[in-house]
Amino acid sequence: DPRQTGLIAASYAVFCLKKKTRGGAEAFALSSLAGPFGVADAEVRHPIFHAVRVLGQFVGHPLVALPVQPGGVHGVAVTVGSGHVRAAIANCTDATQPVSLPTGATYRIVDETTAREAALDGNWSGTSPAAKAGTDGQVMVARYGVVFAEWV
């Protein structure tokens, strides 16, 4: 299934975790570590690798489903430390959608323009240059893109 190695798998991972916040599931498996449904292969990390990497950092913190944003945008967040919020927000559609972030939030987006760079760097979601949300907080996210954001 070619969707497993594309952006749709990463956005679907965020969507599934959001749905899990409603209860009813103790655990779920979105992929395997390797093989045809793996998050990576010998040479590249698929977009779901970065989603699973970031979402894995949420373990041990109370998970909150973010309010549904217009147009099929879904997200989850955790608070770590003193008021420091980490979020993963997915555009679960095949069209560019606006995502609202708090003013000053830093963020990275894995999408069609960054997926190649992210595929070559296992630490991309934590070390690639982060952008900063402006005063309106609106960020445009391409189809099936995932935003990894942080703010205080």
Side-chain angles (χ1 to χ4, degrees):
D1 186 345
R3 294 173 295 184
Q4 186 62 26
T5 59
L7 291 164
I8 195 168
S11 63
Y12 186 68
V14 174
F15 175 77
C16 285
L17 189 57
K18 179 182 179 178
K19 292 298 183 182
K20 184 185 176 304
T21 63
R22 292 185 177 172
E26 200 171 294
F28 61 98
L30 298 164
S31 64
S32 61
L33 294 177
F37 288 99
V39 297
D41 61 33
E43 297 161 10
V44 300
R45 285 115 189 123
H46 305 303
I48 192 173
F49 173 92
H50 297 288
V52 169
R53 182 178 186 272
V54 169
L55 296 174
Q57 295 170 0
F58 292 5
V59 172
H61 303 284
L63 186 67
V64 175
L66 296 175
V68 175
Q69 296 191 27
V73 173
H74 300 273
V76 292
V78 295
T79 301
V80 295
S82 35
H84 186 90
V85 177
R86 290 186 182 153
I89 306 164
N91 174 2
C92 297
T93 74
D94 64 354
T96 298
Q97 299 291 341
V99 169
S100 297
L101 297 174
T103 300
T106 58
Y107 65 92
R108 295 169 179 86
I109 302 173
V110 63
D111 63 13
E112 293 167 333
T113 63
T114 60
R116 186 169 180 77
E117 174 188 348
L120 302 174
D121 183 356
N123 292 317
W124 176 88
S125 57
T127 60
S128 69
K132 193 172 241 184
T135 54
D136 69 353
Q138 191 171 70
V139 175
M140 298 306 289
V141 181
R143 64 188 199 124
Y144 303 113
V146 179
V147 178
F148 305 114
E150 298 186 25
W151 63 85
V152 179

